[in-house]
Short mmCIF file of all heavy atoms in Angstrom, two decimals:
data_model
loop_
_atom_site.label_atom_id
_atom_site.label_comp_id
_atom_site.label_asym_id
_atom_site.label_seq_id
_atom_site.Cartn_x
_atom_site.Cartn_y
_atom_site.Cartn_z
N SER B 32 -45.01 -6.61 39.84
CA SER B 32 -44.29 -7.01 41.16
C SER B 32 -42.87 -7.37 40.94
O SER B 32 -42.09 -6.91 41.69
CB SER B 32 -44.98 -8.27 41.69
OG SER B 32 -46.35 -8.12 42.02
N LEU B 33 -42.66 -8.14 39.84
CA LEU B 33 -41.16 -8.36 39.52
C LEU B 33 -40.42 -7.17 39.22
O LEU B 33 -39.15 -7.23 39.43
CB LEU B 33 -41.15 -9.32 38.36
CG LEU B 33 -41.72 -10.72 38.58
CD1 LEU B 33 -41.91 -11.47 37.26
CD2 LEU B 33 -40.75 -11.46 39.55
N LYS B 34 -41.03 -6.09 38.91
CA LYS B 34 -40.34 -4.85 38.65
C LYS B 34 -40.35 -3.91 39.94
O LYS B 34 -40.03 -2.82 39.90
CB LYS B 34 -41.01 -4.13 37.49
CG LYS B 34 -40.84 -4.85 36.21
CD LYS B 34 -41.03 -3.89 35.03
CE LYS B 34 -40.39 -4.57 33.81
NZ LYS B 34 -40.77 -6.17 33.66
N ASN B 35 -40.86 -4.62 41.01
CA ASN B 35 -41.02 -3.78 42.22
C ASN B 35 -41.81 -2.49 42.10
O ASN B 35 -41.47 -1.54 42.60
CB ASN B 35 -39.68 -3.44 42.97
CG ASN B 35 -38.99 -4.76 43.31
OD1 ASN B 35 -39.49 -5.66 43.95
ND2 ASN B 35 -37.72 -4.88 42.85
N ASP B 36 -42.80 -2.60 41.29
CA ASP B 36 -43.64 -1.39 41.08
C ASP B 36 -44.27 -0.92 42.36
O ASP B 36 -44.97 -1.77 43.04
CB ASP B 36 -44.62 -1.78 39.86
CG ASP B 36 -45.36 -0.53 39.50
OD1 ASP B 36 -45.80 0.37 40.26
OD2 ASP B 36 -45.61 -0.44 38.18
N PRO B 37 -44.13 0.36 42.82
CA PRO B 37 -44.70 0.76 43.99
C PRO B 37 -46.13 0.71 44.16
O PRO B 37 -46.67 0.73 45.24
CB PRO B 37 -44.20 2.23 44.07
CG PRO B 37 -43.87 2.71 42.70
CD PRO B 37 -43.53 1.42 41.93
N GLU B 38 -46.75 0.59 43.09
CA GLU B 38 -48.22 0.58 43.11
C GLU B 38 -48.72 -0.87 43.58
O GLU B 38 -49.83 -1.19 43.76
CB GLU B 38 -48.94 0.94 41.95
CG GLU B 38 -48.93 0.02 40.82
CD GLU B 38 -49.54 0.55 39.43
OE1 GLU B 38 -49.77 1.83 39.39
OE2 GLU B 38 -49.69 -0.13 38.52
N ILE B 39 -47.75 -1.77 43.74
CA ILE B 39 -48.07 -3.15 44.18
C ILE B 39 -47.77 -3.29 45.69
O ILE B 39 -46.81 -2.69 46.18
CB ILE B 39 -47.45 -4.24 43.43
CG1 ILE B 39 -47.65 -4.13 41.89
CG2 ILE B 39 -47.79 -5.65 43.89
CD1 ILE B 39 -49.04 -4.37 41.43
N SER B 40 -48.58 -3.89 46.41
CA SER B 40 -48.30 -4.05 47.90
C SER B 40 -47.12 -4.84 48.08
O SER B 40 -46.71 -5.86 47.42
CB SER B 40 -49.53 -4.81 48.59
OG SER B 40 -49.52 -6.14 48.31
N GLN B 41 -46.41 -4.49 49.16
CA GLN B 41 -45.07 -5.29 49.42
C GLN B 41 -45.35 -6.72 49.67
O GLN B 41 -44.44 -7.48 49.28
CB GLN B 41 -44.65 -4.57 50.81
CG GLN B 41 -43.05 -4.96 50.97
CD GLN B 41 -42.18 -4.53 49.73
OE1 GLN B 41 -42.25 -3.39 49.32
NE2 GLN B 41 -41.41 -5.47 49.23
N LYS B 42 -46.47 -7.05 50.32
CA LYS B 42 -46.69 -8.34 50.56
C LYS B 42 -46.84 -9.17 49.22
O LYS B 42 -46.17 -10.20 49.07
CB LYS B 42 -48.13 -8.47 51.25
CG LYS B 42 -48.45 -9.93 51.77
CD LYS B 42 -49.53 -9.84 52.85
CE LYS B 42 -50.37 -11.18 52.69
NZ LYS B 42 -51.71 -10.82 52.17
N THR B 43 -47.60 -8.66 48.35
CA THR B 43 -47.68 -9.34 46.99
C THR B 43 -46.38 -9.44 46.34
O THR B 43 -45.97 -10.52 45.80
CB THR B 43 -48.62 -8.64 46.07
OG1 THR B 43 -49.92 -8.39 46.74
CG2 THR B 43 -48.91 -9.34 44.74
N ILE B 44 -45.55 -8.33 46.34
CA ILE B 44 -44.30 -8.36 45.71
C ILE B 44 -43.46 -9.54 46.22
O ILE B 44 -42.78 -10.13 45.42
CB ILE B 44 -43.57 -6.91 45.98
CG1 ILE B 44 -44.28 -5.89 45.08
CG2 ILE B 44 -42.04 -7.14 45.58
CD1 ILE B 44 -43.55 -4.53 45.09
N ASN B 45 -43.48 -9.58 47.52
CA ASN B 45 -42.71 -10.74 48.19
C ASN B 45 -43.15 -11.98 47.72
O ASN B 45 -42.28 -12.81 47.35
CB ASN B 45 -42.79 -10.57 49.76
CG ASN B 45 -42.06 -9.24 50.19
OD1 ASN B 45 -41.27 -8.80 49.50
ND2 ASN B 45 -42.49 -8.97 51.45
N ARG B 46 -44.41 -12.24 47.69
CA ARG B 46 -44.95 -13.54 47.32
C ARG B 46 -44.55 -13.91 45.96
O ARG B 46 -43.99 -15.00 45.65
CB ARG B 46 -46.47 -13.58 47.27
CG ARG B 46 -47.09 -13.61 48.75
CD ARG B 46 -48.63 -13.64 48.50
NE ARG B 46 -49.08 -14.74 47.80
CZ ARG B 46 -50.15 -14.72 46.93
NH1 ARG B 46 -50.81 -13.54 46.82
NH2 ARG B 46 -50.67 -15.75 46.31
N VAL B 47 -44.59 -12.89 45.11
CA VAL B 47 -44.22 -13.12 43.64
C VAL B 47 -42.77 -13.43 43.54
O VAL B 47 -42.33 -14.35 42.82
CB VAL B 47 -44.61 -11.85 42.80
CG1 VAL B 47 -43.99 -12.05 41.37
CG2 VAL B 47 -45.97 -11.67 42.67
N HIS B 48 -41.92 -12.67 44.16
CA HIS B 48 -40.52 -12.86 44.05
C HIS B 48 -40.18 -14.32 44.58
O HIS B 48 -39.21 -14.92 44.02
CB HIS B 48 -39.70 -11.80 44.94
CG HIS B 48 -39.50 -10.66 44.08
ND1 HIS B 48 -40.01 -9.43 44.25
CD2 HIS B 48 -38.47 -10.39 43.06
CE1 HIS B 48 -39.55 -8.62 43.34
NE2 HIS B 48 -38.62 -9.19 42.63
N GLU B 49 -40.77 -14.56 45.62
CA GLU B 49 -40.46 -15.88 46.17
C GLU B 49 -40.70 -17.04 45.20
O GLU B 49 -39.83 -17.90 44.89
CB GLU B 49 -41.26 -16.15 47.41
CG GLU B 49 -40.70 -17.16 48.42
CD GLU B 49 -41.44 -17.05 49.74
OE1 GLU B 49 -41.90 -16.02 50.11
OE2 GLU B 49 -41.61 -18.04 50.39
N LEU B 50 -41.84 -16.97 44.58
CA LEU B 50 -42.09 -18.07 43.68
C LEU B 50 -41.27 -18.03 42.43
O LEU B 50 -40.75 -19.03 41.90
CB LEU B 50 -43.70 -18.01 43.25
CG LEU B 50 -44.17 -19.24 42.54
CD1 LEU B 50 -44.14 -20.46 43.58
CD2 LEU B 50 -45.46 -19.10 41.90
N ALA B 51 -41.05 -16.78 41.98
CA ALA B 51 -40.27 -16.56 40.85
C ALA B 51 -38.85 -17.13 41.01
O ALA B 51 -38.27 -17.84 40.25
CB ALA B 51 -40.14 -15.03 40.43
N ASN B 52 -38.37 -16.93 42.20
CA ASN B 52 -36.94 -17.42 42.59
C ASN B 52 -37.06 -18.94 42.59
O ASN B 52 -36.19 -19.59 42.21
CB ASN B 52 -36.51 -16.99 43.93
CG ASN B 52 -36.00 -15.49 43.83
OD1 ASN B 52 -35.53 -15.08 42.73
ND2 ASN B 52 -36.09 -14.79 45.02
N PHE B 53 -38.17 -19.42 43.17
CA PHE B 53 -38.32 -20.89 43.25
C PHE B 53 -38.21 -21.52 41.96
O PHE B 53 -37.47 -22.49 41.71
CB PHE B 53 -39.59 -21.22 43.98
CG PHE B 53 -39.85 -22.69 44.04
CD1 PHE B 53 -39.11 -23.44 44.90
CD2 PHE B 53 -40.82 -23.26 43.22
CE1 PHE B 53 -39.25 -24.86 44.93
CE2 PHE B 53 -41.09 -24.67 43.22
CZ PHE B 53 -40.36 -25.40 44.20
N TYR B 54 -38.90 -20.89 41.02
CA TYR B 54 -38.85 -21.48 39.63
C TYR B 54 -37.64 -21.01 38.86
O TYR B 54 -37.65 -21.31 37.65
CB TYR B 54 -40.21 -21.20 38.93
CG TYR B 54 -41.37 -22.09 39.37
CD1 TYR B 54 -42.54 -21.50 39.80
CD2 TYR B 54 -41.22 -23.51 39.39
CE1 TYR B 54 -43.58 -22.39 40.31
CE2 TYR B 54 -42.28 -24.31 39.77
CZ TYR B 54 -43.40 -23.69 40.15
OH TYR B 54 -44.49 -24.54 40.45
N ASN B 55 -36.92 -20.15 39.33
CA ASN B 55 -35.83 -19.52 38.61
C ASN B 55 -36.36 -18.83 37.39
O ASN B 55 -35.86 -18.96 36.30
CB ASN B 55 -34.77 -20.54 38.29
CG ASN B 55 -33.47 -19.96 37.95
OD1 ASN B 55 -33.35 -18.69 37.87
ND2 ASN B 55 -32.62 -20.61 37.51
N TYR B 56 -37.39 -17.96 37.54
CA TYR B 56 -38.08 -17.37 36.37
C TYR B 56 -37.16 -16.45 35.85
O TYR B 56 -36.47 -15.57 36.54
CB TYR B 56 -39.39 -16.73 36.94
CG TYR B 56 -39.92 -15.74 35.86
CD1 TYR B 56 -40.65 -16.20 34.73
CD2 TYR B 56 -39.64 -14.32 35.92
CE1 TYR B 56 -41.04 -15.35 33.83
CE2 TYR B 56 -40.03 -13.47 34.99
CZ TYR B 56 -40.83 -13.95 33.89
OH TYR B 56 -41.18 -13.19 32.86
N LYS B 57 -37.01 -16.25 34.53
CA LYS B 57 -36.45 -15.28 33.76
C LYS B 57 -37.28 -14.84 32.61
O LYS B 57 -37.87 -15.77 31.98
CB LYS B 57 -35.01 -15.77 33.24
CG LYS B 57 -33.97 -16.10 34.28
CD LYS B 57 -33.20 -14.76 34.81
CE LYS B 57 -32.56 -15.03 36.08
NZ LYS B 57 -31.81 -16.26 36.22
N PRO B 58 -37.40 -13.61 32.46
CA PRO B 58 -38.35 -13.22 31.38
C PRO B 58 -37.90 -13.71 30.03
O PRO B 58 -36.63 -13.82 29.70
CB PRO B 58 -38.31 -11.65 31.37
CG PRO B 58 -37.15 -11.29 32.23
CD PRO B 58 -36.92 -12.45 33.01
N ASN B 59 -38.84 -14.08 29.11
CA ASN B 59 -38.46 -14.47 27.76
C ASN B 59 -37.85 -13.40 26.98
O ASN B 59 -38.58 -12.34 26.68
CB ASN B 59 -39.70 -15.12 27.26
CG ASN B 59 -39.38 -15.67 25.81
OD1 ASN B 59 -38.74 -15.01 25.00
ND2 ASN B 59 -39.99 -16.78 25.47
N ALA B 60 -36.60 -13.44 26.62
CA ALA B 60 -35.89 -12.42 25.90
C ALA B 60 -36.62 -12.08 24.61
O ALA B 60 -36.80 -10.83 24.23
CB ALA B 60 -34.50 -12.68 25.68
N LEU B 61 -37.12 -12.92 23.97
CA LEU B 61 -37.76 -12.90 22.61
C LEU B 61 -39.01 -11.98 22.77
O LEU B 61 -39.18 -11.08 21.99
CB LEU B 61 -38.16 -14.16 22.10
CG LEU B 61 -37.58 -14.78 20.88
CD1 LEU B 61 -36.12 -14.19 20.79
CD2 LEU B 61 -37.65 -16.26 20.86
N ALA B 62 -39.74 -12.30 23.72
CA ALA B 62 -41.05 -11.51 23.92
C ALA B 62 -40.67 -10.10 24.29
O ALA B 62 -41.36 -9.10 23.79
CB ALA B 62 -41.91 -12.17 24.96
N VAL B 63 -39.75 -9.97 25.21
CA VAL B 63 -39.31 -8.56 25.55
C VAL B 63 -38.86 -7.76 24.38
O VAL B 63 -39.27 -6.55 24.20
CB VAL B 63 -38.32 -8.66 26.78
CG1 VAL B 63 -37.77 -7.31 27.07
CG2 VAL B 63 -38.81 -9.38 27.97
N SER B 64 -38.14 -8.42 23.57
CA SER B 64 -37.55 -7.81 22.39
C SER B 64 -38.60 -7.40 21.36
O SER B 64 -38.70 -6.26 20.80
CB SER B 64 -36.59 -8.69 21.64
OG SER B 64 -35.43 -8.89 22.44
N LEU B 65 -39.61 -8.33 21.23
CA LEU B 65 -40.58 -8.00 20.29
C LEU B 65 -41.39 -6.81 20.72
O LEU B 65 -41.82 -5.97 19.95
CB LEU B 65 -41.57 -9.24 20.24
CG LEU B 65 -42.74 -9.24 19.20
CD1 LEU B 65 -42.25 -8.98 17.85
CD2 LEU B 65 -43.61 -10.47 19.34
N LYS B 66 -41.68 -6.77 22.00
CA LYS B 66 -42.44 -5.72 22.62
C LYS B 66 -41.58 -4.42 22.56
O LYS B 66 -42.06 -3.44 22.10
CB LYS B 66 -42.67 -6.09 24.06
CG LYS B 66 -43.60 -5.12 24.80
CD LYS B 66 -45.01 -5.50 24.63
CE LYS B 66 -45.88 -4.37 24.07
NZ LYS B 66 -46.92 -3.86 24.77
N SER B 67 -40.44 -4.47 22.92
CA SER B 67 -39.62 -3.16 23.12
C SER B 67 -38.99 -2.79 21.88
O SER B 67 -38.39 -1.61 21.72
CB SER B 67 -38.55 -3.43 24.18
OG SER B 67 -37.63 -4.32 23.67
N ASN B 68 -38.95 -3.65 20.93
CA ASN B 68 -38.23 -3.37 19.55
C ASN B 68 -36.76 -3.14 19.79
O ASN B 68 -36.06 -2.32 19.09
CB ASN B 68 -38.92 -2.29 18.98
CG ASN B 68 -38.57 -2.08 17.46
OD1 ASN B 68 -38.34 -3.27 16.87
ND2 ASN B 68 -38.68 -0.98 16.77
N LYS B 69 -36.26 -3.79 20.79
CA LYS B 69 -34.90 -3.73 21.11
C LYS B 69 -34.39 -5.17 21.53
O LYS B 69 -35.14 -5.90 22.18
CB LYS B 69 -34.57 -2.90 22.25
CG LYS B 69 -34.67 -1.45 22.09
CD LYS B 69 -34.11 -0.67 23.37
CE LYS B 69 -34.33 0.84 23.30
NZ LYS B 69 -34.82 1.35 21.99
N THR B 70 -33.24 -5.54 20.97
CA THR B 70 -32.83 -6.98 21.18
C THR B 70 -31.58 -6.95 22.15
O THR B 70 -31.17 -8.09 22.53
CB THR B 70 -32.42 -7.65 19.96
OG1 THR B 70 -31.25 -6.97 19.36
CG2 THR B 70 -33.59 -7.68 18.89
N LYS B 71 -30.91 -5.89 22.39
CA LYS B 71 -29.73 -5.81 23.20
C LYS B 71 -28.75 -6.72 22.54
O LYS B 71 -28.02 -7.41 23.34
CB LYS B 71 -29.99 -6.26 24.70
CG LYS B 71 -30.84 -5.37 25.41
CD LYS B 71 -29.89 -4.19 25.90
CE LYS B 71 -30.55 -3.11 26.81
NZ LYS B 71 -29.56 -2.16 27.24
N THR B 72 -28.73 -6.64 21.24
CA THR B 72 -27.73 -7.54 20.57
C THR B 72 -27.12 -6.73 19.48
O THR B 72 -27.78 -6.00 18.70
CB THR B 72 -28.46 -8.84 19.97
OG1 THR B 72 -29.13 -9.46 20.92
CG2 THR B 72 -27.48 -9.71 19.29
N ILE B 73 -25.87 -6.95 19.27
CA ILE B 73 -25.07 -6.32 18.28
C ILE B 73 -24.63 -7.25 17.33
O ILE B 73 -24.07 -8.32 17.63
CB ILE B 73 -23.85 -5.54 18.89
CG1 ILE B 73 -24.23 -4.56 19.93
CG2 ILE B 73 -23.03 -4.83 17.82
CD1 ILE B 73 -23.18 -3.93 20.66
N GLY B 74 -24.75 -6.91 15.98
CA GLY B 74 -24.25 -7.81 14.90
C GLY B 74 -22.87 -7.39 14.53
O GLY B 74 -22.57 -6.25 14.27
N ILE B 75 -21.93 -8.38 14.51
CA ILE B 75 -20.56 -8.18 14.15
C ILE B 75 -20.24 -8.77 12.83
O ILE B 75 -20.43 -9.95 12.63
CB ILE B 75 -19.62 -8.70 15.22
CG1 ILE B 75 -20.00 -8.55 16.62
CG2 ILE B 75 -18.18 -8.24 15.03
CD1 ILE B 75 -20.06 -7.20 17.09
N ILE B 76 -19.82 -7.98 11.90
CA ILE B 76 -19.49 -8.58 10.61
C ILE B 76 -17.92 -8.42 10.47
O ILE B 76 -17.32 -7.32 10.35
CB ILE B 76 -20.10 -7.70 9.49
CG1 ILE B 76 -21.58 -7.59 9.61
CG2 ILE B 76 -19.83 -8.38 8.10
CD1 ILE B 76 -22.37 -8.80 9.19
N LEU B 77 -17.31 -9.61 10.44
CA LEU B 77 -15.78 -9.55 10.31
C LEU B 77 -15.33 -10.31 9.11
O LEU B 77 -15.98 -11.28 8.64
CB LEU B 77 -15.18 -10.35 11.49
CG LEU B 77 -15.38 -9.61 12.93
CD1 LEU B 77 -14.61 -10.53 13.95
CD2 LEU B 77 -14.70 -8.33 12.86
N PRO B 78 -14.40 -9.81 8.44
CA PRO B 78 -13.77 -10.56 7.22
C PRO B 78 -13.19 -11.80 7.51
O PRO B 78 -13.17 -12.79 6.68
CB PRO B 78 -12.86 -9.56 6.55
CG PRO B 78 -12.56 -8.53 7.65
CD PRO B 78 -13.59 -8.53 8.68
N GLU B 79 -12.57 -11.94 8.78
CA GLU B 79 -11.80 -13.16 9.03
C GLU B 79 -11.74 -13.28 10.60
O GLU B 79 -11.79 -12.26 11.27
CB GLU B 79 -10.32 -12.94 8.63
CG GLU B 79 -9.95 -13.81 7.38
CD GLU B 79 -8.52 -13.61 7.15
OE1 GLU B 79 -8.16 -12.66 6.53
OE2 GLU B 79 -7.78 -14.42 7.65
N ILE B 80 -11.37 -14.49 10.98
CA ILE B 80 -11.26 -14.52 12.52
C ILE B 80 -9.96 -15.31 12.80
O ILE B 80 -9.40 -15.20 13.93
CB ILE B 80 -12.49 -15.33 13.03
CG1 ILE B 80 -12.43 -15.42 14.53
CG2 ILE B 80 -12.39 -16.80 12.62
CD1 ILE B 80 -12.61 -14.03 15.15
#
Side-chain angles (χ1 to χ4, degrees):
Chain B
S32 299
L33 288 169
K34 300 198 157 43
N35 294 314
D36 191 316
E38 73 184 13
I39 305 292
S40 75
Q41 195 55 50
K42 187 163 148 255
T43 306
I44 291 188
N45 292 340
R46 283 180 64 217
V47 171
H48 271 104
E49 202 166 326
L50 195 69
N52 282 334
F53 176 71
Y54 282 126
N55 196 3
Y56 168 82
K57 294 275 158 50
N59 180 319
L61 246 31
V63 175
S64 293
L65 182 61
K66 188 88 234 240
S67 66
N68 203 23
K69 286 190 185 350
T70 63
K71 288 282 183 179
T72 305
I73 300 173
I75 318 288
I76 309 280
L77 291 180
E79 249 188 277
I80 189 64

